[in-house]
Amino acid sequence: MLKLNRLIAFIAVIPCVAHAETEVPVTYLKQEVPLPPVLSNLDPIPEDNGLAGARLGLEDNLTTAKFLGHNYTLSFSIVPEGGDWLAAAKEALDSSQFIILDAPPSAQLAVADLPAAENAILFNASEYDMSLRNKECRSNLFHAIPSYSMRADALMQFLAYRRWSNLALITGNRHKDIAFAESLKRSATKFGLELENEKPWLSDADMRRNAAREVPLLTQDLNDHDILLISDELHDFGRYIAYNTWAPRPIGGSEGLQPVAWSRVVEQWGAVQLQNRFEELAARDMTSRDFAAWVAIRSLGEAVTRTGSNDPQMLREYMLSDNFELSGFKGRPLTFRHWNGQLRQPIPLVTERSVVAMAPLEGFLHQNTELDTLGIDEPESECKQFERR
Amino acid sequence: MKWINFAACVSISAMPVMADEIWISNEKDNTLSVIDIETLEVSRTIPTGERPRGITFSKDYSVLYICASDSDSVQVMDPETGEILHDLPSGEDPEQFVLHPNDRHLYIANEDDAITTVVDTETRTVISQIDVGIEPEGMAVSPDGGIAITTSETTNMAHWIDTETQKVFANTLVDSRPRHAEFVKDGGELWVSSEIGGTITIFDTESQAEKGKIRFEVQGVHPDRVQPVGFELSEKDKVAFVALGPSNHVAAVNIDTYEVEDYILVGRRVWHMDFNSDKSMLFTTNGVSGDVTVIDVASREPVKTIKVGRFPWGAAFRPTN
């Protein structure tokens, strides 16, 4: 295509913001975690999962920054298994008060509790975990990625809307499977659906050979249900369930109809442009982790753009104020919950081929914003530490 | 006598009685739907390049320019025959454009490339490419031709371009996801709509200073879903009609007081619009419902819905006599 002379000098006449360069250094801090083996390696997790989203967020911020005399930098600090996580965190905090965390909940809390992080802005960009947003919340820890309960509520809204009110559930035996299953059960109650049928997954079957024999047996004695839910957050066995169930039923949860932060099939609301930019940068599809890292850096960028400041305290206040709103290609402005720092966001319900629905679904009302029908709402929040006195 | 009458008849029927037209681009059908303003029906459907969005006629209506976004070109069509005469170099992914008052220079927003491309339609060459923010979309030129505007959706700015030097001379922040820009009051003001911000920001052209903001409130619709996108000005620039996207309404805004006077119910996800010749009728493109709503401007009532192709996007008026 045309790549003509782009050497056009810019005359930076900025009527409102006239100051010297505002520097915003960001660190992407990752704790490498060994992944347990899964039955199939058909869809390997990209090595730069999350990191590539952060890189795109940086590029997007820089384009705006050049018109404003701001500057962003992004460094990556990746701690191998068994490495000194806290030392890496301290080093990162020395050079930057803005950190994207890609690490298990306990590791995130360890960073948040460091004295050097007291006034920093940390973004959880990897964990759906509920305690991080509830009892274990921290005032300096924002959540760019949705929680288990936001995802579960999104799915349940759809099932309620379809009147698929009898549910069954198969739960894997890993910690994350059990945590997501908990949220699914709580959410079923919240939306008045029946979920009394739960079975654990059999961990010793080789599904690549035996799915057609094992899965009908496993699902045969479930009570009648409209949809079979699967909690298999590491994508171990879930892919072998569809079409092998005893009763012909659709599946949802970690497989089938999935509530996600992002997927390649999201294309409305200008999302195609974001997908195109991402693909050009990373040569693969954008994942939920990538989206979370992207949206974290963009949130920071939006706050810096509007305030003209790089002071973490001021940016935190702005991000939690009514003035903050981020365009995140999901059809509505994205904002942060002031009670636990969770980014409010619509949740697409997707198959591998298309977006089936976008939650919150029509008809699920809320006195403040329909987005708060997803996840922990203010009255039920157990987070006491997020709001500073 | 008789044969003279007969001859008169023949000559009349041989000359097709042409009514004015509204041309609609159908983003997901790769076609244009031509609406006959007399009958309010689609009289022709014309194939285009891939993903047609912005459309505009030359000043004498002899050619139609089409942003064929996924074909990475601006197509030039003979509106009489529907034939593509030639393509213009456009830069990648042209989404929307504006024709300079000189009837010669097209200012094109290249959505995927963060660039505004200026094309000379006579020599069919690119005069300049100007770096702007991410996802440029809204395009406007001041009535005197001195200033071109590009708004960028993700950078959230209006970029002010001097059309003499083809350089940006100012950048002004607006609310989230700016979509459309128009000069108002003979160029004295610039209006920019922000889809996610839910506002129109008004700038004083002379100083580029912000003068005010218009906000919208549709009864029974959550503010998040009231998303201003395209807008057009009524006869004598008294009223701005503003498409409010998924709220499925068009607002009528008093241009002097900045007050919203009416909300008019239209089809789903209303996007852009254009008027007929005396501006008594307004035609809105409704992206999700795949139709065009016809609004009677005097009564501010929707009077008809016309089915067009999939995801109608742009609208352009064409007189035929």
Side-chain angles (χ1 to χ4, degrees), chain A residues 229-245:
Chain A
L229 303 180
I230 294 163
S231 183
D232 173 30
E233 286 293 280
L234 297 173
H235 301 288
D236 181 11
F237 60 89
R239 67 168 73 232
Y240 299 104
I241 305 288
Y243 302 105
N244 278 319
T245 50

Side-chain angles (χ1 to χ4, degrees), chain A residues 181-194:
Chain A
E182 280 304 316
S183 286
L184 287 170
K185 285 184 268 187
R186 205 169 310 120
S187 179
T189 309
K190 176 172 168 182
F191 290 101
L193 308 174
E194 291 286 331

